[in-house]
Amino acid sequence: MQYLSHSRRIARALKPLALVETDVRFVSNAPSHVVHRSLSHSVFPGKMDTCNQLYAQSPMTGLMMLRANFSSEAKHVENPTEAVKELHSKILDSVNVKRSMPPNAWLWSLIDNCRNEDDISFLFDVLQNLRRFRLSNLRIHDNFNCNLCQQVAKTCVRVGAINHGKRALWKHNVHGLTPSVASAHHLLSYALKHKDAKLMDEVMKLLKMNNLPLQPGTADLVFRICHDTDNWDLLVKYSKKFCKAGVKLRKTTFDVWMEFAAKRGDTESLWNVDKLRSETYTQHTLSGAFSCAKGFLLERKPEEAAAVIQIICQAYPDEKKSALEAEFKKLVNEWSVDIIKHQNEQDKKDVAASLKSDIPAMVNALVNSGLRVRVDLNELNKNEALLT
């Protein structure tokens, strides 16, 4: 009985193999081209007709079609530049037909010649084919070096191919790109230039998803974008993330943060940020000092506002006095308008009246302390925001 049981198990295991062997013996009686056709249709259904058409054409056309099969990224490209199209063809011909690694200069030349999004599609197609060739033929498992990857991201930004640029931040990709914070900074710089808070938010999410560390330069760009798009809530959200990650914020980052709080008239946030700044930097920058002065003006303390400005002015050399004049001009002409804009309707008149009296009081205190101040206080009386 045990012998019969083993026999049945062996028979069941060998049964599928017998069927395969029968099929092979069946088609082997036919001519060889029939055997190949039968196997192709059974293993790769629908592919045989394509192969027949390919080999029925001239050898050169056949090679071009073979090369096109490797080019999934460039299938729908309509308007590449001639230089990029030529380099794309040469590189793919080298790796897919000649089976040899093309010169590095070709790839760098392709990157330099990219002018539009179609060119970038050709670039990414080349990167995918080069990665495949390095892996299968050269047994190189590493991605391309960071310098190349950053240049790809920079090129995507240069031509406005932002979706391709975001793909350069994925840790797992078919193009052999190594994501880095430096590449992300190119995209954030684009978002800053175009005041695109949505793109910034997308880039920050990609950094988190792909485990890329936050850096001081990242915070600087993010804070500037939030400031320029007047998105305080977004700045608060990311300030918590940067502080939690232990990122050492730059002086310029604190300047933007404090200036934004002062522009909104949020003195509580302003003093909290200044306290956080003092834990890292002992002395104010010029921008930071004027933000504190604005905070004191909002609290109806013009003498203390003058004291903060006096300290920073003493530390400034004479050749940089023009920067002081620019800050005074911004305080009178721009900041007062921004403050009124962020006030409730019932508070606007009171705030306008306090600024019209406290700003001259601050300037007089500075003059009395011996500081030469060039500021046209007549502008206060011409300011429409303060006349409401």
Side-chain angles (χ1 to χ4, degrees), residues 39 88 104 118 122-123 160 162 187 231 238 264 342 346:
L39 288 174
H88 173 268
N104 287 337
D118 287 342
F122 267 23
L123 169 60
I162 302 305
L187 290 165
N231 197 329
Y238 280 111
R264 288 174 50 84
H342 284 90
Q346 58 269 28

Side-chain angles (χ1 to χ4, degrees), residues 362-373:
M362 178 192 73
V363 173
N364 289 333
L366 287 169
V367 172
N368 293 334
S369 67
L371 187 69
R372 289 189 298 175
V373 179

Side-chain angles (χ1 to χ4, degrees), residues 86-132:
E86 181 180 345
L87 287 163
H88 173 268
S89 179
K90 287 169 64 176
I91 293 173
L92 261 61
D93 182 69
S94 178
V95 296
N96 295 331
V97 180
K98 297 178 181 177
R99 313 304 293 173
S100 64
M101 194 67 182
N104 287 337
W106 289 2
L107 178 58
W108 285 104
S109 179
L110 192 154
I111 292 172
D112 291 339
N113 280 282
C114 285
R115 296 291 179 269
N116 55 47
E117 192 158 2
D118 287 342
D119 291 344
I120 297 296
S121 294
F122 267 23
L123 169 60
F124 272 68
D125 185 56
V126 162
L127 291 171
Q128 184 174 349
N129 278 271
L130 285 174
R131 180 184 179 276
R132 185 189 297 120

Side-chain angles (χ1 to χ4, degrees), residues 304-319:
E304 293 187 37
V308 172
I309 293 177
Q310 184 181 8
I311 293 171
I312 195 67
C313 287
Q314 290 173 350
Y316 251 67
D318 290 338
E319 59 268 20

Side-chain angles (χ1 to χ4, degrees), residues 18 21 44 47 49 57 92 112 160 170 186 195 197-198 210 224 237 242-243 256 270 283 288 304 321 346 370 384-385:
E21 289 174 358
F44 305 107
K47 298 293 183 182
D49 292 337
Q57 299 180 33
L92 261 61
D112 291 339
W170 283 100
H186 290 300
K195 298 183 178 181
K198 182 180 178 182
N210 293 279
R224 288 177 185 276
K237 169 187 170 182
F242 283 107
C243 292
V256 172
L270 175 62
Q283 189 175 1
E304 293 187 37
K321 295 298 183 183
Q346 58 269 28
E384 294 182 2

